């Protein structure tokens, strides 16, 4: 069993006073690691290191900073077997998927390195003769990065790569469910030769995380997590008016029109719902089907769900893996039970399997209503409610009748319908004839309670900057 210590000032720092956080394999429920929880002294050491390092890091040219990011991308690729092994053990992913996540993290690191010569300001006309207005982009300072459990390797680099290229230093808090892969990434930071203190990675309790987020030297907090976690970050940010970038809950609607390729739609929606046991922010969470093809589509979905087996992916990588912990499984099963009590019909799944591991079967629910909890609240598991509709206008109204607005999907061969929905959907993303995949050159940002700010692309990179207006009179 591995033992992990916190990464501060480019070193793994052992603390005699630290409490241990036990990490378990969700497929076997066996302990796989102990991670030291950062003490208050550890947190202060990390903040001081990051603050000192950032003053020097920001003075490097962006091209020089990019060279470090390219070296980090190389290191992530070369160490991807080790990162993948740690991630597979702590998350229940297959070794192949976990290793590919590390390689993909290297890809997004290279992408942000290429912004080095493209971090642009503006020249703005002045109302005063003989004067120029110059709008500059500057780093914020120290950024606290709060990482989720579901894609902890990719999301970590999704946060720190744009923060670093724009001249910030970072303090990373990985999920306490999946910290081991973050410390393997720390080894990649060492291998890339980063200056001391630019990247710090610590496991934390809620109390020490609050200490970081409310420290006056921390100028930005970026989070991928639940709405509840987002509200807590907004509370933290009030202390020092720190900038917040939040990617929060999702409840992706998929609209299936009568003219859609139903077989393709059913396969892709089920794949979206069962990938990583449905623990994706943009996974399809509710489906609206045109009533003339409703029965046919339910049959297709039911067949796909029944064909999807679940189990330990280290033994069979083609299976659907486990939920992250038992609490998640209980919460999801209780949601399904309440939906059935409220009139939903269970087509398949909907039970807690015998044996070890936090598994839950792919579950399909019909006879659902728009006002049901199962339709209104994020499930974050392999459970899919399906509702019929009459017209595309009705489908759009139902899709928008929601607190969340992260991603959305429509299947149709009619470009007029596709564009009508695309122009009126209340979500940060819409995918036409495919399920969400978050292209990193796009912009991943939520509407409504799905977040503030966003990740990826030019606009995600600029989240990690602040502006300075230079008024130059000549």
């Amino acid at each position: 069993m591995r033992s992990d210590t916190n990464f501060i000032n480019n070193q793994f720092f052992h603390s005699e006073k630290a409490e241990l956080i036990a990490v378990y394999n969700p497929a076997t429920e066996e302990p796989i690691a102990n991670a030291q929880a950062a003490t208050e002294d550890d947190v202060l050491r990390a903040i001081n290191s990051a603050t000192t390092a950032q003053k020097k890091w920001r003075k490097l040219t962006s091209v020089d900073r990019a060279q470090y990011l390219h070296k980090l991308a190389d290191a992530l690729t070369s160490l991807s077997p080790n990162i993948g092994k740690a991630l597979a053990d702590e998350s229940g992913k297959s070794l192949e998927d976990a290793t590919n996540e590390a390689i993909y993290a290297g890809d997004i690191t290279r992408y942000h390195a290429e912004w080095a010569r493209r971090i642009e300001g503006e020249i703005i006309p002045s109302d005063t003769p003989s004067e120029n207005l110059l709008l500059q982009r500057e780093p914020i300072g120290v950024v606290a990065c709060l990482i989720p459990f579901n894609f902890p390797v990719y999301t970590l680099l999704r946060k720190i790569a744009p923060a670093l290229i724009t001249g910030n230093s970072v303090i990373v808090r990985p999920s306490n469910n999946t910290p081991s892969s973050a410390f393997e990434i720390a080894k990649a930071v060492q291998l890339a030769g980063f200056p001391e203190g630019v990247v710090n990675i610590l496991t934390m309790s809620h109390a020490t995380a609050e200490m970081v987020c409310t420290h006056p030297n921390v100028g930005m907090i970026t989070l991928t997590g639940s709405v509840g976690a987002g509200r807590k970050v907004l509370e933290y940010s009030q202390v020092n008016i720190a900038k917040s970038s939040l990617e929060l809950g999702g409840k992706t609607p998929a609209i299936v029109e009568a003219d859609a390729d139903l077989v393709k739609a059913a396969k892709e929606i089920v794949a979206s719902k069962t990938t990583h046991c449905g623990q994706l922010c943009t996974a399809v969470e509710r489906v609206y089907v045109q009533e003339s093809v409703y029965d046919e589509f339910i049959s297709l979905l039911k067949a796909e769900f029944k064909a999807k087996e679940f189990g330990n992916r280290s033994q069979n990588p083609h299976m659907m893996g486990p939920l992250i912990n038992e609490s998640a499984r209980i919460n999801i099963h209780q949601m399904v039970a309440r939906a059935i009590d409220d009139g939903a019909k269970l087509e398949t799944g909907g039970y807690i399997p015998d044996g070890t591991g936090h598994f839950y079967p792919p579950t399909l629910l019909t006879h659902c209503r728009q006002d049901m909890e199962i339709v209104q609240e994020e499930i974050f598991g392999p459970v899919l409610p399906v509702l019929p509709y009459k017209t595309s206008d009705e489908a759009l109204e139902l899709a928008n009748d929601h607190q969340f607005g992260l991603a959305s999907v429509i299947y149709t061969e009619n470009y007029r319908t596709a564009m009508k929905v695309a122009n009126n959907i209340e979500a940060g993303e819409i995918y036409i004839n495919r399920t969400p995949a978050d292209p990193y050159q796009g912009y991943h940002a939520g509407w409504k309670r799905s977040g503030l700010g966003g990740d990826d692309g030019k606009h995600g990179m600029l989240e990690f900057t602040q502006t300075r207006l230079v008024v130059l009179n000549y």
Side-chain angles (χ1 to χ4, degrees), residues 393-414:
D393 287 339
E394 180 189 359
L396 181 62
E397 182 179 350
L398 291 169
N400 287 340
D401 176 28
H402 217 277
Q403 61 181 316
F404 295 122
L406 189 57
S408 55
V409 174
I410 183 169
Y411 283 92
T412 181
E413 297 301 314
N414 187 321

Side-chain angles (χ1 to χ4, degrees), residues 136-328:
Q136 300 175 337
R137 289 279 180 177
E138 295 289 340
I140 292 172
V142 179
V143 178
C145 304
L146 310 181
I147 309 303
F149 71 81
N150 57 341
F151 287 90
V153 171
Y154 178 74
T155 306
L156 195 155
L157 275 304
R158 185 189 219 178
K159 302 288 190 186
I160 74 168
L164 296 175
I165 193 60
T166 49
N168 304 282
S169 61
V170 297
I171 298 175
V172 178
R173 185 209 182 187
S175 166
N176 288 344
N177 288 299
T178 55
S180 297
S181 56
F183 293 118
E184 292 298 325
I185 293 171
K187 295 175 185 177
V189 172
Q190 285 183 321
L191 185 60
F194 269 78
E196 293 181 354
V198 173
V199 179
N200 305 274
I201 302 174
L202 299 85
T203 50
M204 305 181 203
S205 66
H206 291 308
T208 48
E210 179 178 359
M211 186 177 172
V212 170
C213 293
T214 57
H215 194 280
N217 289 14
V218 172
M220 179 177 176
I221 311 166
T222 176
L223 162 78
T224 295
S226 67
V227 172
R231 290 194 178 103
K232 185 60 69 175
V233 166
L234 288 176
E235 291 178 14
Y236 296 158
S237 68
Q238 292 178 41
V239 176
N240 297 301
I241 318 300
K243 182 176 182 179
S244 298
S245 180
L246 310 175
E247 194 252 269
L248 306 178
K251 190 72 177 174
T252 300
I255 298 171
V256 181
E257 287 279 286
D259 62 356
D261 183 333
L262 300 182
V263 173
K264 176 179 183 291
K267 287 182 179 296
E268 292 182 355
I269 288 172
V270 172
S272 173
K273 187 73 275 188
T274 57
T275 295
H276 198 29
C277 205
Q279 299 169 121
L280 287 75
C281 299
T282 56
V284 174
E285 282 253 332
R286 51 194 168 115
V287 179
Y288 301 101
V289 185
Q290 210 283 326
E291 63 180 11
S292 67
V293 295
Y294 179 81
D295 290 341
E296 179 183 358
F297 195 68
I298 292 298
S299 295
L300 291 169
L301 286 177
K302 192 172 181 178
E304 291 289 334
F305 267 71
K306 285 188 170 183
K308 190 67 179 178
E309 296 180 297
F310 59 89
N312 190 338
R313 299 193 72 201
S314 67
Q315 299 172 357
N316 186 341
H318 299 294
M319 288 183 170
M320 183 183 76
L323 294 161
I324 191 63
N325 54 39
E326 186 62 14
S327 176

